[in-house]
Amino acid sequence: MAAGTLYTYPENWRAFKALIAAQYSGAQITVHSVPPHFQFGQTNKTPEFLKKFPVGKVPAFEGADGFCVFESNAIAYYVANEDLRGNTVAAAAQVLQWVSFADSEILPPASTWVFPTLGIMQYNKQATEHAKEEVKRVLVILDAHLKTRTFLVGERVTLADIAVVCSLLWLYKQVLEPAFRQPYGNVTRWFVTCVNQPQFQSVLGDFKLCEKMAQFDAKKFAETQPKKETSKKEKTPKEMKKEEKKQEKKKEEEGPNEELDECEQVLAAEPKSKDPYAHLPKSSFIMDEFKRKYSNEDTLTVALPYFWEHFDKEGWSIWYAEYRFPKELTQTFMSCNLITGMFQRLDKLRKTAFASVILSGTNNDSIISGVWVFRGQELAFTLCEDWQIDYESYTWRKLDVDSEECKTLVKEYFLWEGDFKNLGKPFNQGKIFK
Amino acid sequence: MAVAVLTELSALENTLGLPRSNKFSALAGERPVPVLQTNDGPRLVGLATIASHLVKQARKEQLLGASSEERAAVQQWLEYRVTRIDGRPSREEADGVLRELSAYLQDRVYLAGNRLTLADILAYHGLHPLMVALPVHEKERYVNVSRWFSHVQQYPGVKQHLPAIVFLKNRLYARGP
Ligand SMILES: N[C@@H](CCC(=O)N[C@@H](CS)C(=O)NCC(=O)O)C(=O)O
């Protein structure tokens, strides 16, 4: 099975194709999309990168065994499995047909229509109207095909569905409002089914279909577009580089290659929010509800009973953490800063985590420990590079939810009261992550 | 008929990968009702109840739905199977069922949620005799049922003893898309 590193900028729909394929095949892919590992526009222009990937574009994939491949469709093919590629020559040919269809028929009009609504391309009425007609044309084709079919090729998801869904993502997100998509019900049924498969969901997050057709975002366009008239010295080096690049390109080719700039500016567009836990089944334990109880009512008589009554050990896990470098905590205030800093970095986890972290002992003889509740069965730290530091500074131990030890720890840490036998030091102060 | 529902339950055991350790019997009557005597627990009566029990026995709870809404939808379709599809429906009743299902499946791939559930499996089994008898133009008329049926029957393990039914992907009787 393939394993390796995928270079891309964050939230790149071309990279999604490989990532979704990997969810089906089980290929292990590490994504390098942000510094220090990868900086779009820089890393992919270094001689080292170009030696492996002469085109200098992303996504690009480097296998653990040194095998390198670029072009998003080729990468997705490589990390896929037999079922995704098509089990017979005929099926594989049809898969290739739809993958190519996505690139040659869907992508060009989709970009022309959608990019202005993201403020990353100038709006041109005629071009947009033409693109809309082209989009309708491909939707008619897909709709007729999907009327009698569940998926594009055969009876299960293939790379065809992955590629075509990914090429339609921006359309369904930005402009295909209910009235516009109404005649293409078969396409929407198929699209919604695909994006709700757990393998798609874990890459795309919860996908929301467009409610109202987005229009040209002139303001954003003005903000992100370096004006042609501005004099050279007002420009940032990056903008200058971009201009130069554009001119070079213009010399090389007949038309301007718009894609270069679009890519960089898609980056500037707001990242979609996505739920890293989307692949988990819904849980009966409502964290917010517990937090409300914990904040507003008596811990011992209300919040704790509520917690144990509603806790869902399949959907959540409880962890014990202890700071690994207690000797360095010479002053109590340092410890407090340490805890507060960690809570701030973990801000994004507030909906899906709860913790009571306490400082025990006194100056020169203290220890930080905590009880954490996380969504899912894994520690959340791998979700964001910023959190690595907090992860590494503690030892983490998953508690057996049904054990006496766990019951005691939860009680003492949520209450800030008790023997704290695990520490052998008296409670000094505590902080709650909520 | 008595045989059919018991055969179906054994087939379901196979589908779920269960060893054939359950002993089914049928209550005689106008419509035979399956019964399962569990080892340590109560006697379970009725297709929907027993089928749900087998799914749990096989630890494939996701087939009962992933969320509480989906679980409710699965139960609803199990009931539909027993009350509307079973019991030798008349030609008219059968048409009614196909019409309802085709409308429901217009914007859905599965009966409940976005994945195959027990609802699809049992509805598939229940509809099989009906679909076998359906002429081509009728299959085309109920295009959404046909699409759903041809998708469900290819799931590994679902078809079991039932013969595969052929559906045309190209429509013969429709004009234009
Ligand atoms: N056909 C290629 C397109 C790749 C591509 O255009 N990548 C852009 C980002 S969207 C890129 O890396 N551009 C960098 C550059 O041209 O310098 C694929 O699907 O992988």
Side-chain angles (χ1 to χ4, degrees), chain A residues 283-324:
Chain A
S283 172
S284 54
F285 180 64
I286 312 293
M287 183 53 105
D288 277 348
E289 197 48 45
F290 164 69
K291 287 183 180 172
R292 255 193 299 280
K293 292 268 188 298
Y294 188 84
S295 307
N296 304 332
E297 311 213 32
D298 184 62
T299 304
L300 186 61
T301 58
V302 182
L304 272 169
Y306 178 90
F307 181 81
W308 286 119
E309 196 174 314
H310 293 88
F311 188 71
D312 154 29
K313 65 178 176 185
E314 246 90 73
W316 300 76
S317 52
I318 307 180
W319 298 74
Y320 176 75
E322 208 172 292
Y323 192 60
R324 288 174 53 205

Side-chain angles (χ1 to χ4, degrees), chain A residues 44-310:
Chain A
N44 53 320
K45 300 297 161 202
T46 59
E48 197 197 342
F49 190 93
L50 291 170
K51 218 164 106 194
K52 292 182 273 193
F53 308 106
V55 189
K57 293 190 178 188
V58 292
F61 178 84
E62 180 173 10
D65 55 3
F67 173 77
C68 289
V69 58
F70 61 89
E71 279 294 332
S72 56
N73 296 328
I75 301 169
Y77 183 91
Y78 183 66
V79 302
N81 58 22
E82 287 300 301
D83 285 345
L84 290 178
R85 293 178 193 131
N87 279 317
T88 62
V89 174
Q94 284 174 330
V95 168
L96 188 54
Q97 159 195 301
W98 288 112
V99 169
S100 307
F101 176 86
D103 278 354
S104 52
E105 304 290 321
I106 305 178
L107 211 51
S111 312
T112 309
W113 186 4
V114 170
F115 284 159
T117 72
L118 297 169
I120 59 179
M121 201 168 94
Q122 180 55 281
Y123 170 76
N124 173 311
K125 186 162 192 300
Q126 210 188 339
T128 298
E129 290 310 314
H130 181 68
K132 279 187 195 173
E133 291 309 312
E134 285 292 289
V135 167
K136 283 186 192 162
R137 187 179 62 82
V138 299
L139 289 176
V140 165
I141 294 167
L142 285 170
D143 195 71
H145 185 74
L146 288 164
K147 186 161 183 75
T148 58
R149 292 172 180 85
T150 300
F151 295 115
L152 287 171
V153 179
E155 290 290 355
R156 55 180 85 194
V157 170
T158 64
L159 286 173
D161 303 289
I162 296 176
V164 177
V165 161
C166 285
S167 72
L168 291 169
L169 283 174
W170 281 109
L171 284 171
Y172 266 108
K173 193 179 158 77
Q174 287 292 108
V175 293
L176 298 187
E177 63 183 8
F180 190 95
R181 64 180 187 249
Q182 193 273 331
Y184 319 109
N186 296 304
V187 185
T188 302
R189 178 192 68 240
W190 157 85
F191 182 87
V192 168
T193 302
C194 287
V195 297
N196 279 296
Q197 297 305 302
Q199 295 88 343
F200 280 73
Q201 252 181 341
S202 66
V203 173
L204 304 176
D206 269 331
F207 190 90
K208 269 197 77 203
L209 296 187
C210 169
E211 271 158 25
K212 192 161 182 317
M213 191 182 292
Q215 303 296 330
F216 174 50
D217 192 338
K219 192 160 154 277
K220 193 141 165 213
F221 180 71
E223 280 166 10
T224 55
Q225 203 63 13
K227 291 239 169 52
K228 289 259 173 338
E229 308 83 65
T230 41
S231 73
K232 283 247 172 189
K233 48 177 182 319
E234 279 174 338
K235 283 185 190 153
T236 65
K238 185 154 191 244
E239 286 167 350
M240 303 235 301
K241 267 228 305 276
K242 205 147 64 178
E243 286 267 308
E244 281 164 22
K245 218 162 59 176
K246 231 190 219 161
Q247 278 156 14
E248 274 171 27
K249 279 269 168 193
K250 270 201 187 125
K251 271 182 248 152
E252 284 168 27
E253 302 165 7
E254 302 94 86
N257 184 347
E258 270 169 347
E259 198 166 25
L260 290 180
D261 295 294
E262 283 157 15
C263 289
E264 289 189 49
Q265 292 173 29
V266 166
L267 265 178
E270 293 149 46
K272 319 188 259 149
S273 69
K274 86 174 172 190
D275 173 8
Y277 297 110
H279 60 292
L280 296 179
K282 282 212 181 93
S283 172
S284 54
F285 180 64
I286 312 293
M287 183 53 105
D288 277 348
E289 197 48 45
F290 164 69
K291 287 183 180 172
R292 255 193 299 280
K293 292 268 188 298
Y294 188 84
S295 307
N296 304 332
E297 311 213 32
D298 184 62
T299 304
L300 186 61
T301 58
V302 182
L304 272 169
Y306 178 90
F307 181 81
W308 286 119
E309 196 174 314
H310 293 88

